[in-house]
Structures are given as structure tokens and as C-alpha cells.
Amino acid sequence: EIVDDGITGFLVDKSNPRQIAEKVELLYNDRELLRSMGIAARKKYEEKYKLEIFENNILYVFQQIKCGRR
């Protein structure tokens, strides 16, 4: 859910060192892909995972729970 495969990073099998090495090599050799993934990952972080956004989401959940019990 955090990583969008091919957009903000790569999903790899942690027990497959060859697959991990291939993705690292791909990023090493394609600096534009590395840069674009970094930008996309930062944007996703800013939109979904910054502390104030997380706090607002938790507050919303608590408000929904409170309203549901009235």
C-alpha cells in the first residue's frame, strides 16, 4: 500500500536477491527513473503520510466512531 510498484519504487521478493539486485542496477543505470520515482514517492508522502495528515485521519476515524455511537 505504501509503495506503488514501478511508480514510487519496486515491489520485490525479499528472499530473491537476484530480483533485488536487478532493480538496484536498473535504478543505478537509469537516473531519470530514479529521479521520477523519488519525486513520486515524496509527493505521495506529502499527500498521505505527513504527521498532520495522519493526525487528521485519526481524528476523523475517532469522530466517526463517536457519531456512530450516539
Side-chain angles (χ1 to χ4, degrees), residues 15-58:
S15 62
N16 186 337
R18 178 172 290 206
Q19 185 183 38
I20 297 168
E22 287 171 356
K23 297 304 183 186
V24 170
E25 184 177 17
L26 174 62
L27 291 172
Y28 180 79
N29 290 324
D30 189 341
R31 298 303 174 134
E32 182 55 34
L33 178 61
L34 177 66
R35 187 178 85 63
S36 67
M37 282 188 165
I39 291 169
R42 179 65 181 201
K43 181 179 179 204
K44 184 172 184 177
Y45 162 77
E46 295 284 341
E47 292 173 353
K48 294 187 175 192
Y49 299 106
K50 284 181 74 170
L51 182 58
E52 53 270 13
I53 292 170
F54 175 77
E55 290 171 343
N56 287 337
N57 289 339
I58 292 294

